Amino acid sequence: MPQWLSKWLQRHRHPLSLGLHIVGIPLTIAAVVLAILQLAEWRWDLWYRPLFLLIVGYLLQWIGHAMEG
């Protein structure tokens, strides 16, 4: 196991926190990918979709960190 992954798992020991991160991180990455795709297609009218994914993804991770202390 890579050292960075081992350290990451040590910082996220609570099962619910780990689950929130497992969902929140891909949502955050998907927000960036969606924003790039929408901008490439010049779809400025859909700005709220990546913003929503970004907010939800970070909120889930923030809740997980709040649980861990």
Side-chain angles (χ1 to χ4, degrees):
M1 176 182 312
Q3 186 177 4
W4 65 267
L5 181 57
S6 176
K7 288 182 180 182
W8 187 84
L9 289 172
Q10 288 175 0
R11 293 190 318 258
H12 302 91
R13 290 183 182 254
H14 193 283
L16 186 54
S17 173
L18 182 61
L20 290 171
H21 278 77
I22 288 173
V23 174
I25 291 171
L27 285 177
T28 304
I29 294 169
V32 173
V33 172
L34 182 60
I36 292 169
L37 291 174
Q38 286 182 188
L39 290 175
E41 294 179 1
W42 213 252
R43 292 302 310 259
W44 295 92
D45 57 323
L46 300 175
W47 60 269
Y48 57 90
R49 296 188 321 176
L51 180 63
F52 176 76
L53 290 176
L54 186 70
I55 290 171
V56 171
Y58 268 104
L59 180 63
L60 291 175
Q61 293 177 67
W62 183 82
I63 292 169
H65 281 271
M67 292 176 64
E68 294 284 345

